[in-house]
Amino acid sequence: MIKTGIIGGAGYTAGELIRILIHHPEVEIDFIYSTSNAGNPISQVHTDLIGESALHFTNDINLSVDVVFLCLGHGHSGNILKEFNFASTTKVIDLSNEFRLNPNHIFKERDFIYGLPELQKEKIKNADNIANPGCFATAIQLALLPLAKHQYLEQDDLHINAITGSTGAGQSLSSTTHFSWRNNNISSYKVFTHQHLGEINQTIHQLQPDYKGETNFIPLRGDFTRGIFATVYTKTSVDLEEVKKQYKIYYKNDPFTTISDDPIHLKQVVGSNKCILHIDKHDDKLIITSVIDNLIKGASGQAVQNMNLMFGLKETLGLKLKATYF
């Protein structure tokens, strides 16, 4: 059994991670660290876990677990790794943005690999430390990987619109997360400046170094709880059927990414670790739609997918989650 620890156990991503791991056949959760909830049952915070687990939050950390998941706010993972000297045999999967930029980010003698399985599965299999991708970045990169891989990105700009559920903002309250503001409402934020642009551009240039176009990204807040619906478009001279063919070839060994011949919608993926893509073309404009669950494929599910690869397990183990269609 793989002994796991979770640091920062009270947030949305940690809750989703616990839900997956307590049913994973090869995992034993050793500790769930939360200073604000130490001693409390996890079901007191993640109330849907009543009857699922008798685990309690703790302020004790086992420094020799097989793998530790860092589910902390952005900018705190490095401090934790400085404070707690985990064994050299302990693998680290960080769900924040701290180590995502620069594919081999070295921190305190730990070499972090960017953990997008559809991009670099073999590197992940041999990695000890993973920088788990961001949610928007996951949905958008999966829409673009085959284009960049086959040098199909011509020198036209990329245009991206993507809308996310309220869980994407985390559990802390703010003026734009209250129900009375979010319900029956939609708004844009961080237009052209969102932090996930760094990851997206890094991957594009890893696969197609000569691409000179700009990536124009407009993120939107939706009035739903979870999920990301992203639309990417750019000009290309490549035939639509050829593009579709190359997408299906690219993802043929990726069990969670599927190409749909029909238009797609969010309910097809919410509650699952899937990404579904739809590809279309209008005149010279290629349009790719991508849908994921931001908390699963965009965070905790992908983290477990990476763990499976790192420990030589079947990639899908513990992740055959069914979308909550209704």
Side-chain angles (χ1 to χ4, degrees):
M1 297 291 280
I2 301 169
K3 283 197 170 184
T4 67
I6 298 170
I7 296 181
Y12 289 137
T13 56
E16 204 64 55
L17 183 61
I18 296 165
R19 292 178 194 106
I20 295 169
L21 292 181
I22 61 177
H23 296 293
H24 194 293
E26 295 294 331
V27 165
E28 175 189 340
I29 299 178
D30 187 84
F31 69 86
I32 303 171
Y33 179 84
S34 172
T35 53
S36 60
N37 289 283
N40 295 330
I42 59 169
S43 59
Q44 195 172 88
V45 173
H46 306 297
T47 55
D48 61 303
L49 293 177
I50 292 174
E52 296 285 329
S53 174
L55 287 166
H56 285 63
F57 294 105
T58 180
N59 54 10
D60 293 323
I61 289 181
N62 179 356
L63 297 176
S64 59
V65 290
D66 297 312
V67 60
V68 61
F69 294 89
L70 305 182
C71 299
L72 300 159
H74 300 310
H76 297 292
S77 295
N79 292 334
I80 284 289
L81 292 179
K82 288 175 185 176
E83 182 179 353
F84 299 104
N85 188 24
F86 285 96
S88 59
T89 54
T90 297
K91 299 181 188 293
V92 176
I93 300 176
D94 179 39
L95 280 79
S96 80
N97 65 1
E98 197 153 347
F99 307 116
R100 292 172 186 164
L101 297 183
N102 305 319
N104 299 306
H105 188 120
I106 298 174
F107 174 86
K108 202 182 178 185
E109 300 180 354
R110 288 190 175 270
D111 186 5
F112 278 85
I113 300 298
Y114 188 65
L116 186 64
E118 294 82 358
L119 173 66
Q120 45 192 21
K121 193 172 297 185
E122 294 306 313
K123 283 188 176 181
I124 293 167
K125 287 179 181 178
N126 296 305
D128 291 321
N129 307 284
I130 291 292
N132 212 57
C135 52
F136 271 134
T138 296
I140 293 165
Q141 287 175 102
L142 292 176
L144 292 171
L145 291 179
L147 290 183
K149 172 72 173 177
H150 291 284
Q151 316 296 296
Y152 286 169
L153 290 173
E154 298 171 5
Q155 296 312 316
D156 188 58
D157 292 349
L158 285 166
H159 302 276
I160 304 163
N161 284 272
I163 186 166
T164 185
S166 58
T167 52
Q171 208 164 32
S172 298
L173 288 176
S174 70
S175 60
T176 57
T177 58
H178 283 281
F179 177 82
S180 57
W181 190 91
R182 196 98 180 199
N183 188 46
N184 295 324
N185 198 10
I186 189 170
S187 63
S188 61
Y189 69 108
K190 297 182 181 178
V191 173
F192 303 141
T193 63
H194 196 279
Q195 64 271 17
H196 290 181
L197 271 170
E199 298 171 57
I200 296 163
N201 286 326
Q202 176 176 265
T203 294
I204 290 171
H205 291 113
Q206 178 181 335
L207 295 174
Q208 188 172 340
D210 64 346
Y211 178 64
K212 299 294 192 298
E214 292 187 3
T215 306
N216 302 297
F217 176 29
I218 300 178
L220 301 168
R221 303 180 185 95
D223 67 343
F224 50 93
T225 303
R226 58 197 295 164
I228 289 175
F229 186 100
T231 303
V232 182
Y233 68 91
T234 189
K235 289 182 180 179
T236 184
S237 58
V238 184
D239 179 73
L240 175 60
E241 293 308 313
E242 177 64 19
V243 174
K244 287 182 178 180
K245 174 185 171 183
Q246 294 305 330
Y247 268 70
K248 290 177 180 178
I249 291 171
Y250 185 96
Y251 288 118
K252 67 179 180 180
N253 295 319
D254 294 305
F256 294 112
T257 303
T258 303
I259 314 303
S260 172
D261 291 325
D262 300 314
I264 57 179
H265 55 84
L266 206 51
K267 281 189 176 182
Q268 291 172 277
V269 297
V270 169
S272 78
N273 197 53
K274 294 192 296 185
C275 172
I276 303 178
L277 302 171
H278 178 255
I279 307 157
D280 203 357
K281 195 173 182 186
H282 292 267
D283 297 326
D284 61 347
K285 292 186 180 68
L286 184 70
I287 303 164
I288 306 105
T289 308
S290 173
V291 287
I292 66 168
D293 185 310
N294 60 296
L295 291 179
I296 304 183
K297 182 56 176 169
S300 302
Q302 185 154 243
V304 174
Q305 186 180 351
N306 281 320
M307 180 199 73
N308 287 341
L309 291 168
M310 295 165 80
F311 285 91
L313 302 175
K314 188 176 180 181
E315 189 173 354
T316 57
L317 193 63
L319 287 168
K320 283 297 186 181
L321 310 170
K322 189 177 185 299
T324 53
Y325 196 79
F326 295 108

